[in-house]
Amino acid sequence: MASDLDTVRVLRALFSDMPRAPQGLSHEETMAWVAQSMAEFQGGDMAYMIEHITRSSMLDIVLRLREDGYLKDDAAFGETVDLISSPEGRKTFMDRCIQAQKSADATSRLIHRAKRSWTDPLPLFSSDPGAVRRFVRGELSGPGPLYAEYRAREDVSQIGVLAQAPDGIHEFSWGFVVEDQGAWTFYIADVWRNGTVGSFDRFLSAWQQATASPANHSQRAESLPPVPAGLLMDDGIATFSSLSLQGAGPMGDPELRRWIGEVFIDRMLPTMAARVMDPQYDFPLVGLQAH
């Protein structure tokens, strides 16, 4: 284990320039002093909290590496303590940690992929053909039970998503699509019921895979019409959704609506959602085939 002296050295390196309350203050005086110090910190109390959390994380990382990592070497430990004693050094150290984690994650994905044959999950859902045709024609269904379920979520109400009624709603058996301000926003019930309303990164990967060259598709993948010019995918973070599609032209464009309904909703989205929801599914890395 890291010794008490090791811990003290790291604490001093990390926190020596952080505000500390004078000794001899009462509990109430100490709390008032801390509140004032946080308010006067550059960037305010939120910046103070983030900085404190960041440095505490570095403390944990360094002491763990001292116990069972490369910092068991005294010289390496001393160099790291010197490094994290300055703001520039702390940034360098955290950048190294982030890059090391990215490398470890990529290696883990490659090893996991090599251990098994590549499989593609079955589509997560299917859409009623009549509902797809109504979407293509621009016939709104209005809010239904799934829209009501989503709006009733505590996290949705707290953030204020859909606080104002959108221009239009198309409800399907798997969720609903909000048509508002030149964009189509997709909400999938199986996704928000899984403890998240986004899976943002995985949906972005699913879109990139689905719209990439045929080499990035599974062997079962069928040829799909190309994405209409000017149609862009948004990761859905701003709308608290699975994803959004933003068109360059008018939302009433029949060809654009036909592609979104008959290609994206009916054929692409069910497989994309299945890949997102399958925890064993590894999206192919850029430049690598999926099988």
Side-chain angles (χ1 to χ4, degrees):
M1 292 182 60
S3 68
D4 291 343
L5 178 58
D6 293 337
T7 303
V8 170
R9 290 178 63 187
V10 179
L11 283 169
R12 286 177 176 173
L14 287 171
F15 293 100
S16 61
D17 60 343
M18 292 287 284
R20 284 187 289 180
Q23 294 184 356
L25 298 180
S26 66
H27 175 73
E28 291 76 12
E29 290 171 334
T30 300
M31 296 302 296
W33 186 94
V34 170
Q36 181 178 353
S37 298
M38 293 175 65
E40 294 175 350
F41 192 80
Q42 184 177 2
D45 55 355
M46 182 60 70
Y48 179 94
M49 293 174 62
I50 293 174
E51 183 68 18
H52 202 280
I53 291 171
T54 301
R55 297 195 195 190
S56 296
S57 298
M58 279 190 271
L59 172 67
D60 183 64
I61 292 170
V62 172
L63 292 180
R64 286 178 180 274
L65 290 174
R66 179 60 167 165
E67 292 179 3
D68 54 19
Y70 75 98
L71 294 185
K72 288 193 290 186
D73 178 79
D74 290 339
F77 178 68
E79 292 174 359
T80 298
V81 171
D82 292 339
L83 179 68
I84 61 177
S85 298
S86 68
E88 297 80 9
R90 287 191 287 272
K91 183 179 185 304
T92 298
F93 179 77
M94 289 306 294
D95 287 344
R96 291 176 183 174
C97 293
I98 292 170
Q99 291 303 316
Q101 185 61 51
K102 287 182 178 179
S103 177
D105 289 344
T107 300
S108 176
R109 288 196 299 270
L110 289 172
I111 292 174
H112 184 62
R113 184 175 293 116
K115 287 182 177 179
R116 60 181 175 83
S117 59
W118 187 265
T119 57
D120 214 357
L122 295 173
L124 188 64
F125 53 79
S126 61
S127 297
D128 175 68
V132 173
R133 287 193 295 269
R134 287 190 291 272
F135 174 89
V136 173
R137 293 195 298 262
E139 299 175 2
L140 302 173
S141 69
L146 293 179
Y147 178 86
E149 175 188 326
Y150 179 79
R151 283 282 289 110
R153 287 178 59 95
E154 182 178 358
D155 50 1
V156 172
S157 60
Q158 286 179 346
I159 294 178
V161 181
L162 301 176
Q164 296 182 343
D167 292 343
I169 300 170
H170 303 270
E171 183 147 326
F172 294 83
S173 60
W174 46 263
F176 60 93
V177 183
V178 167
E179 191 169 312
D180 195 45
Q181 300 181 5
W184 292 272
T185 306
F186 297 83
Y187 297 85
I188 301 172
D190 282 347
V191 176
W192 79 62
R193 291 169 182 165
N194 197 45
T196 172
V197 293
S199 299
F200 306 118
D201 290 340
R202 290 182 65 81
F203 267 107
L204 181 59
S205 297
W207 168 262
Q208 292 171 340
Q209 180 185 12
T211 57
S213 63
N216 277 342
H217 290 262
S218 70
Q219 292 177 334
R220 288 205 331 260
E222 55 184 318
S223 178
L224 297 173
V227 178
L231 186 66
L232 301 176
M233 181 267 194
D234 182 79
D235 58 19
I237 294 176
T239 53
F240 223 40
S241 66
S242 299
L243 58 91
S244 294
L245 294 179
Q246 180 84 39
M251 299 189 76
D253 179 3
E255 293 303 316
L256 179 59
R257 296 193 70 91
R258 181 173 295 110
W259 188 91
I260 294 177
E262 297 178 358
V263 178
F264 182 73
I265 292 178
D266 194 40
R267 298 162 67 183
M268 288 176 60
L269 186 59
T271 298
M272 288 173 56
R275 291 169 175 170
V276 168
M277 295 295 291
D278 183 353
Q280 300 301 317
Y281 188 86
D282 293 323
F283 289 99
L285 300 176
V286 176
L288 294 179
Q289 293 188 2
H291 52 81

